C-alpha cells in the first residue's frame, strides 16, 4: 500500500502548511477575538468533536476509510476558507464548527489507513514520519511567513487555503483499505461501554490528553503572549516558530529512542520534560528561559505523539478500528474541554498561573501513565 503512504504523507505535509501559524493568536486578536474567546471557541470545538466522534466512527466503518478521509479533507478546506474571511467571535466560531466536523471524521481514520497500509511492526516509525511531515509543512509555512508574509495576515490565510485545497486533491488518490462492512449503532454503544468500563485504558487516555492539551494550548496560543511579555518583536517570534517547527521533525526519532530506553524511561523523559518546561515558564518573563522552555515542551510532545498513537492502535481489539479510536478520542476530548476552559480563565488572570496549571497536569499525566503501565504488567 505504498500509494496510500505517499498520499497520506503528502496530505500531512500540505495540511501542516498553516501560514498564519506563527501569529495564530495575534491574527485572531486583530480580527476582534480575545484570548478568553479563543479558549472558549476551542472548548466548544472539543465539545462538538466529542458529540461527533462515535457517529463519525460508525460512518467511517460503514462507508470506508477512503471515502471518509476524502470528505473530511474537503471539509477541512472549507474551514480554512471561512477562517481566511472571518472577523469577530461568531465567524471564528463557525470556522471552528466546520473544523470540528472534519477533525472528528479524520480522527482514527488517518491512523487506521496508515496502520492497515503498513502493519503493526512498523507503525511507530510510520506515525513518526507522518507527524514529522506535518511539522515540515509548518516549517515551510513559517519560513514563508518570516521572509515574505510578515504582517500581511490576509495573505497568510489565502496561502493556507491553497495548501489545504491541494491536500484535498491528494486525498482523491487514496486506495481503499480493508474495513468491516456490517456495523450498527448498537455495536458502537457496546464498544463505548467496553471502553468506559476499562479503567486501565481510561488511565492511559487521560494521561495522553493532559500532555497533549498542555502542549497544544501553550505552544499555539500562550507562547505568543509570553514572547510579548519578554519584549520579542514579530520577526523574532516568527524565527522561534521556525525553531519549534524544526524540533517537530524529531518525531521520526521517537521509535528509535523508545527502543533504546524502554517505555517507562521514555515516558519519564517526555512527561518530566514537559512538567519542568511549564514550571520554568511560570517562573520567568525573560526571553532565553522562556524560549528554552517552550522548545523543550515542543520536543517532548513531538517524541511522545508517535508513541501514544502506536499504543492506542495496539489496544484496539475490536474489528471496527475507526469507531474504537473515535471513542478513545471522545475520552481525550472530554478531558481537553475542561483543560482548555481552565487555561483560558487562568491566562486572563495571570499567565504564570496558566503555566503552573500546565506543569501540574503534565505531572498528573505522568502519574496516570505509570499507573496504566503497571496495570498492563500485572495482567
Amino acid at each position: 500500500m505504498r500509494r496510500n503512504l505517499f498520499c497520506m504523507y503528502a496530505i500531512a505535509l500540505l495540511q501542516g502548511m498553516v501560514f498564519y501559524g506563527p501569529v495564530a493568536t495575534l491574527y485572531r486578536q486583530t480580527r476582534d477575538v480575545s484570548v478568553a474567546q479563543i479558549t472558549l471557541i476551542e472548548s466548544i470545538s472539543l465539545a462538538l468533536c466529542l458529540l461527533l466522534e462515535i457517529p463519525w466512527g460508525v460512518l467511517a466503518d460503514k462507508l470506508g476509510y477512503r471515502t471518509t478521509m476524502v470528505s473530511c479533507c474537503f471539509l477541512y478546506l472549507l474551514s480554512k476558507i471561512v477562517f481566511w474571511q472571518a472577523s469577530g467571535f461568531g465567524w471564528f466560531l463557525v470556522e471552528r464548527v466546520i473544523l470540528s466536523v472534519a477533525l472528528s471524521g479524520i480522527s482514527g481514520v488517518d491512523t487506521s489507513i496508515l496502520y492497515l497500509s503498513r502493519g503493526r511492526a512498523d507503525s511507530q516509525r510510520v506515525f513518526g514520519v507522518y507527524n514529522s511531515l506535518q511539522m515540515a509543512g509548518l516549517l515551510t509555512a513559517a519560513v514563508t511567513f518570516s521572509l515574505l508574509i510578515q504582517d500581511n495576515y490576509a495573505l497568510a490565510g489565502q496561502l493556507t487555503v491553497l495548501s489545504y485545497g491541494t491536500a484535498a486533491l491528494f486525498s482523491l488518490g487514496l486506495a481503499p483499505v480493508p474495513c468491516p462492512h456490517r456495523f450498527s449503532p448498537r455495536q458502537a454503544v457496546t464498544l463505548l461501554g467496553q471502553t468506559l468500563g476499562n479503567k486501565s485504558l481510561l488511565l492511559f487516555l487521560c494521561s495522553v490528553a493532559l500532555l497533549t492539551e498542555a502542549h497544544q494550548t501553550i505552544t499555539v496560543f500562550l507562547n505568543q503572549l509570553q514572547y510579548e511579555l519578554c519584549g520579542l518583536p514579530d520577526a523574532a517570534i516568527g524565527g522561534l516558530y521556525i525553531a519549534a517547527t524544526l524540533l517537530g521533525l524529531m518525531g521520526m526519532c521517537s521509535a528509535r529512542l523508545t527502543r533504546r530506553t524502554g517505555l517507562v524511561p521514555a515516558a519519564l523523559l517526555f512527561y518530566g520534560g514537559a512538567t519542568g518546561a511549564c514550571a520554568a515558564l511560570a517562573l520567568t518573563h525573560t526571553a532565553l528561559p522562556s524560549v528554552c522552555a517552550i522548545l523543550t515542551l515542543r520536543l517532548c510532545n513531538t517524541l511522545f505523539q508517535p508513541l501514544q498513537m502506536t499504543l492506542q492502535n495496539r489496544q484496539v481489539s475490536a474489528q471496527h478500528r475507526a469507531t474504537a479510536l473515535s471513542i478513545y478520542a471522545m475520552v481525550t476530548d472530554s478531558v481537553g474541554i475542561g483543560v482548555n476552559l481552565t487555561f483560558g480563565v487562568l491566562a486572563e488572570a495571570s499567565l504564570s498561573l496558566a503555566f503552573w496549571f500546565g506543569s501540574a497536569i503534565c505531572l498528573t499525566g505522568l502519574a496516570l501513565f505509570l499507573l496504566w503501565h503497571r496495570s498492563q504488567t500485572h495482567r
Side-chain angles (χ1 to χ4, degrees):
M1 291 272 188
R2 290 188 177 182
R3 171 179 161 186
N4 279 355
L5 291 181
F6 172 79
C7 289
M8 291 299 295
Y9 287 165
I11 290 168
L13 177 68
L14 290 162
Q15 289 185 345
M17 292 184 188
V18 181
F19 290 90
Y20 56 80
V23 289
T25 301
L26 304 179
Y27 184 108
R28 291 170 170 88
Q29 287 180 325
T30 62
R31 302 291 182 94
D32 302 319
V33 183
S34 69
V35 175
Q37 288 176 325
I38 290 171
T39 54
L40 175 59
I41 290 172
E42 286 292 303
S43 295
I44 293 172
S45 173
L46 283 172
L48 185 56
C49 286
L50 179 67
L51 293 173
L52 293 175
E53 282 289 355
I54 294 179
W56 258 124
V58 174
L59 277 175
D61 281 323
K62 276 192 170 185
L63 300 176
Y65 301 156
R66 178 191 180 277
T67 300
T68 303
M69 190 70 188
V70 170
S71 301
C72 291
C73 281
F74 278 92
L75 282 172
Y76 226 151
L77 169 61
L78 178 60
S79 75
K80 295 307 177 186
I81 293 173
V82 174
F83 185 94
W84 172 35
Q85 298 295 320
S87 180
F89 177 83
W91 276 110
F92 279 102
L93 179 59
V94 170
E95 176 266 332
R96 211 63 184 177
V97 167
I98 299 171
L99 180 62
S100 299
V101 176
L103 286 174
S104 56
I106 289 176
S107 174
V109 171
D110 57 346
T111 56
S112 292
I113 291 173
L114 290 169
Y115 193 80
L116 294 172
S117 295
R118 192 62 180 176
R120 173 190 176 101
D122 203 29
S123 60
Q124 189 174 347
R125 187 192 66 82
V126 169
F127 291 146
V129 173
Y130 183 66
N131 287 345
S132 294
L133 283 170
Q134 290 178 323
M135 293 300 105
L138 282 171
L139 176 62
T140 302
V143 171
T144 303
F145 177 87
S146 297
L147 297 179
L148 301 176
I149 299 173
Q150 297 179 3
D151 60 351
N152 191 343
Y153 292 176
L155 177 59
Q158 185 178 14
L159 290 175
T160 303
V161 169
L162 292 175
S163 178
Y164 273 70
T166 308
L169 293 177
F170 267 103
S171 71
L172 297 173
L174 289 169
V177 294
C179 64
H181 297 291
R182 294 181 180 180
F183 198 57
S184 67
R186 180 177 297 178
Q187 290 172 295
V189 173
T190 300
L191 277 176
L192 175 61
Q194 291 173 349
T195 301
L196 296 180
N198 188 336
K199 294 181 181 179
S200 173
L201 177 58
L202 290 177
L203 288 173
F204 171 74
L205 294 175
C206 288
S207 74
V208 168
L210 291 174
L211 176 55
T212 302
E213 290 301 324
H215 166 266
Q216 170 72 9
T217 304
I218 291 173
T219 64
V220 174
F221 300 113
L222 301 185
N223 64 335
Q224 294 162 40
L225 303 179
Q226 179 79 353
Y227 289 153
E228 281 195 319
L229 281 177
C230 296
L232 294 174
D234 283 354
I237 292 175
L240 290 171
Y241 186 85
I242 293 173
T245 305
L246 279 170
L247 286 178
L249 300 176
M250 296 296 291
M252 291 184 289
C253 301
S254 175
R256 184 182 304 171
L257 177 62
T258 304
R259 282 196 302 269
R260 287 187 175 182
T261 64
L263 181 58
V264 171
L268 289 170
L269 178 63
F270 304 153
Y271 281 97
T275 300
C278 292
L281 287 169
L283 292 169
T284 185
H285 287 154
T286 54
L288 183 60
S290 296
V291 169
C292 291
I294 288 169
L295 294 181
T296 298
L297 180 57
R298 169 55 67 90
L299 178 61
C300 290
N301 183 74
T302 296
L303 293 169
F304 175 67
Q305 287 306 314
L307 173 62
Q308 69 88 6
M309 291 164 70
T310 298
L311 292 175
Q312 280 200 47
N313 272 274
R314 286 180 181 174
Q315 291 180 89
V316 176
S317 57
Q319 182 185 15
H320 307 281
R321 179 171 296 275
T323 301
L325 291 173
S326 291
I327 292 172
Y328 296 174
M330 185 192 72
V331 175
T332 58
D333 287 346
S334 299
V335 177
I337 291 170
V339 169
N340 269 287
L341 287 172
T342 305
F343 264 122
V345 171
L346 293 176
E348 285 288 314
S350 166
L351 265 183
S352 292
L353 285 176
F355 292 137
W356 278 123
F357 174 67
S359 183
I361 63 174
C362 288
L363 185 59
T364 303
L366 173 59
L368 295 177
F369 188 95
L370 294 176
L371 286 172
W372 164 79
H373 183 263
R374 183 180 179 184
S375 70
Q376 298 296 297
T377 55
H378 283 76
R379 281 187 172 182

